[in-house]
Amino acid sequence: MTNRTSTTTALDTAERRDHALAGYDVLDHAPARELQALVDIAAQVCTVPRAAINLITSTEQQQIATTGFAASICAREDSMCAAVLEHTDRVVVPDARLDDRFRENPFVTGILGTVRFYASAPLRTPDGVIIGRLCVFDHAPRELDASQEAALGALAERVVDVLELRLRTRELEGSLSALTRARDELHRSNEALSVFAGQVSHDLRSPLTAIMASTEMLGQQPSVLEDATAQRLVATAFRSATRMAGLMEQILSHAQVGAQLLTTETDLDAVLGAVLEDLAPRLTARSATVSVGPLPVVVVDDQQIYSVLLNLVSNAVKYSRPDVPPVVAVSASRRRGAWRISVRDNGIGIPVGEREMVFGLFNRIETSVDGSGIGLATVKRIIEAHGGRIGIDSVDGPGTEVWFDLPAC
C-alpha cells in the first residue's frame, strides 16, 4: 500500500510540474536576457566558471540559460539536478565523486563531463511545485560560504519571479484583449439595439397616432357624446393609447443611451436649475421642498444628465409618504477622482434587498404609484455610459439616498 501511494504521489507531482512548465511556456520561449543576467550573477557570486538554469520535465533536463558553456538537453536520468529535484533547500556538494547521489552520474564519471563541485537551489513556484534548479559547478572541488549559499537561494527565487512576471503579463494581455473584444461587442450591440428600437418606434408610431386621432374624433361624435358608457370606453382607449405612446418614447430613449455622448463642461447647478423649473408645478402641487448644495462643473452630456436629475428628483417627490410633504436634498462631495451627486428624500424608502433590483428594466418595487419601470434603468445606463457608478444608501429615518459618481474634471 505504501509503495502504491508513493508512486501515485510521484505521478501527481510530475503532472503538476509539467503543467507548471507548460503554463510558463518557458521551454521554447525563455525570456533570455533576464535569465541570462541571473545565471551570470550566480556564477560570479559563487566564484565558479559555470552555472545553469535547469528545468526538469518527466523525461528530460532542459537548460534555458547558461554561463561558461552552451545550453543543452539531456535525459532526465542523466541529470544531476533531477537527482535532488525534490530537495526543498540548497544542495552543496564539495566533491561529487564522494557523494552517493552523484558518484555514478555520467556528468561526474567522465562519460558526459567531469564535474566535481556542484551546488543548486530549487526553482519553486508560488504553488510549491519545484520545476527545476539553479545550479553552479566546477571541475575542481571547492566550498561555498554562508553568504554565497544564501545568494544562490535568493537568485533562484528571482528566476521564478521572472517567469511569474512574464506569465502574469501574458495573462493580463489576454484579459485586456478579451475586454477589448467585449467592449467592441457591447458597442455593436448598443448600436444594434438603438437601430432596432428606432425602427420599432417608427413602425408603431404611425398606426398608434392614427388610433389616437381616430379615438379622439370618435369621442366627438354625437352618438358617443349622448352615451355615457361609450364616452367612458372611448376615453379609456385614448388614455391607453397615450400611455403606450409615452412608453414607446421611454423605451426608445433607454435604447439610445450611450450610443453617442456629446460631452462638454457642464455646470450641474445650471442643469438642476432647469430641472426644478420644469418640475415647479409638480413641486408646488405636492408642497415639496428642495434644498440644493453647491454642485460641480463636470464633463458630461448635459441633456442626458438633465434626464438623470429629472428622474431622481421626480421620483423623490412621487414616492413620498402619504400626508407628508416631500423634502428633497441635492448635494455633491469629492471622492477619489470623482464627484458624488446625492439626491436624498424623506419618502417611503426602498428595502435593502431590493435596491439593486430597481435599476433593472421594467422592475418596479412600489406598484401603488404609476410608473413603467424604465426610468431608473435608463438613469443607470446614462451614468455607466459616462464611466460612473450609481447606488442607493439608507438615511437616518424614513427615506432614501440615491447617489451617482461622475469622473471629476
Side-chain angles (χ1 to χ4, degrees):
M1 179 65 71
T2 302
N3 290 338
R4 184 175 181 179
T5 301
S6 299
T7 301
T8 301
T9 302
L11 289 174
D12 290 344
T13 301
E15 289 177 357
R16 292 179 65 201
R17 182 178 300 112
D18 287 346
H19 179 74
L21 289 171
Y24 285 133
D25 190 26
V26 69
L27 294 177
D28 297 317
H29 305 94
R33 186 177 63 179
E34 296 91 337
L35 296 181
Q36 187 62 53
L38 290 171
V39 79
D40 288 346
I41 293 171
Q44 293 170 12
V45 167
C46 295
T47 63
V48 296
R50 294 174 177 82
I53 296 173
N54 292 330
L55 300 182
I56 311 297
T57 72
S58 56
T59 60
E60 63 188 22
Q61 169 185 282
Q62 182 166 330
Q63 295 169 334
I64 59 172
T66 61
T67 290
F69 67 102
S72 63
I73 298 174
C74 72
R76 179 187 173 108
E77 56 267 24
D78 293 336
S79 166
M80 295 181 71
C81 286
V84 291
L85 181 60
E86 298 303 333
H87 200 291
T88 58
D89 202 352
R90 300 179 294 273
V91 172
V92 179
V93 180
D95 191 336
R97 293 172 300 181
L98 306 178
D99 190 294
D100 291 339
R101 294 168 295 182
F102 302 117
R103 68 172 74 247
E104 301 298 330
N105 187 279
F107 282 101
V108 177
T109 62
I111 297 175
L112 295 177
T114 56
V115 173
R116 298 296 176 260
F117 168 75
Y118 169 87
S120 68
L123 303 176
R124 185 186 296 105
T125 73
D127 293 331
V129 179
I130 298 177
I131 58 174
R133 299 186 78 86
L134 170 62
C135 77
V136 294
F137 55 96
D138 196 354
H139 294 314
R142 65 171 62 241
E143 299 278 356
L144 292 183
D145 61 30
S147 63
Q148 289 173 315
E149 284 192 38
L152 184 63
L155 288 169
E157 293 175 356
R158 299 296 78 75
V159 170
V160 176
D161 288 344
V162 169
L163 300 182
E164 279 289 314
L165 178 60
R166 196 178 73 146
L167 171 62
R168 302 311 167 196
T169 300
R170 194 167 66 248
E171 290 176 342
L172 178 59
E173 290 172 348
S175 298
L176 289 175
S177 178
L179 287 173
T180 299
R181 291 194 299 271
R183 180 204 62 194
D184 293 343
E185 178 61 22
L186 180 60
H187 182 68
R188 186 198 64 77
S189 298
N190 281 338
E191 288 184 339
L193 178 60
S194 297
V195 171
F196 173 75
Q199 186 63 47
V200 170
S201 178
H202 176 270
D203 292 345
L204 294 180
R205 187 177 288 130
S206 294
L208 185 59
T209 300
I211 291 173
M212 293 173 64
S214 298
T215 305
E216 188 173 19
M217 293 175 60
L218 181 62
Q220 303 302 317
Q221 296 299 311
S223 58
V224 173
L225 293 173
E226 294 170 0
D227 187 329
T229 300
Q231 281 186 340
R232 186 171 63 256
L233 292 175
V234 169
T236 299
F238 184 78
R239 285 195 303 271
S240 297
T242 301
R243 282 198 299 270
M244 183 179 292
L247 183 60
M248 284 171 50
E249 290 300 325
Q250 291 184 62
I251 293 174
L252 180 59
S253 297
H254 178 79
Q256 290 176 334
V257 165
Q260 184 176 6
L261 294 178
L262 303 176
T263 60
T264 184
E265 284 196 357
T266 301
D267 186 348
L268 293 187
D269 274 319
V271 176
L272 184 60
V275 167
L276 297 180
E277 183 177 346
D278 292 343
L279 288 178
R282 186 181 305 177
L283 298 177
T284 300
R286 300 295 297 271
S287 301
T289 301
V290 180
S291 61
V292 181
L295 300 181
V297 173
V298 290
V299 177
V300 295
D301 185 315
D302 59 346
Q303 293 299 316
Q304 294 200 19
I305 295 302
Y306 167 88
S307 297
V308 169
L309 291 171
L310 179 69
N311 192 289
L312 297 184
V313 175
S314 177
N315 278 355
V317 174
K318 179 164 51 173
Y319 293 99
S320 60
R321 289 173 291 156
D323 302 322
V324 177
V327 176
V328 183
V330 183
S331 61
S333 59
R334 187 70 178 262
R335 291 172 176 251
R336 294 191 297 275
W339 281 106
R340 173 161 293 189
I341 312 302
S342 299
V343 178
R344 182 170 178 167
D345 63 56
N346 65 336
I348 59 177
I350 301 173
V352 174
E354 298 175 344
R355 289 175 183 171
E356 285 298 319
M357 187 187 305
V358 299
F359 293 111
L361 192 61
F362 302 123
N363 288 342
R364 300 189 61 219
I365 305 303
E366 179 55 55
T367 57
S368 63
V369 180
D370 288 340
S372 62
I374 297 177
L376 284 179
T378 302
V379 164
K380 185 174 188 289
R381 288 195 66 187
I382 291 174
I383 297 303
E384 290 180 347
H386 282 80
R389 301 185 306 131
I390 189 168
I392 298 174
D393 288 339
S394 300
V395 299
D396 295 332
T400 299
E401 180 179 8
V402 183
W403 55 263
F404 60 88
D405 292 343
L406 292 172
C409 295

